[in-house]
């Protein structure tokens, strides 16, 4: 009887096991073990779904500049613009100054030319007048010329006698008064020196 009992018990266990496997394969089957593992399976499935979904990829954020930096940049731009305008204004002023200076230099050059021409004309007229005066006194008798020069302005006497040649001036100098002759001789001598070396204040007329 025992062998038959063991065989029947084994068949019963096999049937129970097969029924259990069949029940687990049913769609509505759930168990405590399955309920315990469901959160982990759902989380893993959700993570896999989120990883595969394009919407799950985070978009890169644009780093916006702080307001202080933007204000500083704007201030620098305004400063550069102001400096640029000031530089342009300065250049315009320099151009105007240079143009004015050029015009003034040209005016001074023209004035210098006119003055030089006038001085040459005066010098020529003066030379001509002196030459006539020298010729006039040279044609006089030495005694008569000396009599006039004794009372003539000392500068005129020096100019006339200094312009004459020695042969014509000597007889007139000899006819002058000794004081007048010494004064004229000293003035002619001092004028040959440099202005700083001339001593004209001590001359007695």
């Amino acid at each position: 009887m025992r062998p038959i009992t063991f065989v029947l018990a084994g068949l019963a266990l096999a049937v129970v096991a097969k029924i259990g496997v069949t029940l687990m394969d049913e769609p509505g089957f759930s168990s405590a073990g399955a309920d315990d593992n469901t959160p982990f399976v759902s989380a893993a499935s959700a993570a896999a779904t989120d990883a595969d979904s394009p919407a799950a990829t985070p978009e890169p954020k644009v780093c916006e500049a702080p307001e202080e930096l933007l204000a500083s940049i704007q201030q620098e731009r305004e400063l550069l613009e102001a400096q640029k305008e000031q530089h342009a204004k300065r250049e315009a002023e320099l151009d105007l100054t240079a143009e004015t200076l050029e015009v003034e230099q040209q005016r001074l050059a023209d004035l210098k030319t006119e003055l030089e021409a006038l001085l040459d004309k005066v010098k020529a007229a003066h030379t001509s007048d002196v030459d006539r005066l020298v010729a006039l006194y040279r044609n006089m008798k030495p005694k008569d010329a000396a009599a006039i020069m004794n009372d003539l302005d000392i500068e005129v006497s020096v100019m006339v006698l200094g312009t004459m040649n020695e042969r014509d001036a000597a007889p007139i100098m000899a006819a002058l008064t000794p004081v007048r002759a010494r004064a004229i001789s000293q003035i002619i001598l001092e004028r040959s020196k440099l202005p700083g070396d001339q001593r004209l204040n001590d001359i007695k007329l």
Side-chain angles (χ1 to χ4, degrees):
M1 290 296 290
R2 286 184 177 180
I4 296 172
T5 303
F6 288 133
V7 171
L8 292 175
L11 291 174
L13 291 173
V15 171
V16 171
K18 184 175 182 181
I19 293 171
V21 171
T22 303
L23 291 174
M24 291 178 65
D25 291 338
E26 291 294 329
F29 175 78
S30 62
S31 63
D35 292 339
D36 294 339
N37 294 330
T38 299
F40 298 101
V41 174
S42 299
S45 299
T49 303
D50 293 341
D52 295 337
S53 177
T57 304
E59 296 182 358
K61 296 182 178 180
V62 179
C63 183
E64 297 182 356
E67 294 183 358
E68 293 80 2
L69 181 59
L70 293 177
S72 177
I73 294 175
Q74 181 64 26
Q75 185 177 3
E76 289 293 332
R77 288 179 179 176
E78 293 177 355
L79 180 61
L80 290 175
E81 288 294 332
Q83 291 179 348
K84 185 177 180 181
E85 293 179 359
Q86 185 177 4
H87 182 66
K89 183 179 179 180
R90 182 60 178 168
E91 285 187 348
E93 292 177 353
L94 290 176
D95 292 340
L96 180 60
T97 302
E99 184 178 355
T100 304
L101 181 61
E102 185 177 357
V103 172
E104 187 66 19
Q105 287 178 343
Q106 184 62 39
R107 188 183 70 82
L108 291 176
D110 295 340
L111 181 59
K112 180 181 178 182
T113 302
E114 293 178 2
L115 289 176
E116 289 178 350
L118 182 59
L119 288 175
D120 291 340
K121 185 177 180 180
V122 171
K123 184 178 179 180
H126 177 72
T127 302
S128 178
D129 292 339
V130 171
D131 290 341
R132 285 196 297 268
L133 187 60
V134 168
L136 179 63
Y137 279 96
R138 187 174 57 241
N139 292 326
M140 289 182 183
K141 292 179 181 181
K143 185 177 180 180
D144 295 336
I148 297 173
M149 287 186 180
N150 281 327
D151 297 329
L152 192 63
D153 184 78
I154 190 67
E155 292 293 332
V156 178
S157 300
V158 170
M159 180 183 62
V160 172
L161 292 174
T163 306
M164 284 184 181
N165 56 53
E166 293 81 359
R167 181 177 296 180
D168 295 329
I172 299 174
M173 288 286 290
L176 290 172
T177 62
V179 175
R180 192 76 170 183
R182 283 194 300 268
I184 293 174
S185 299
Q186 188 175 356
I187 291 174
I188 292 175
L189 179 62
E190 292 296 330
R191 284 188 173 183
S192 63
K193 299 178 182 179
L194 295 174
D197 298 331
Q198 294 177 359
R199 296 179 179 178
L200 302 175
N201 296 328
D202 298 333
I203 297 176
K204 296 180 180 180
L205 300 177

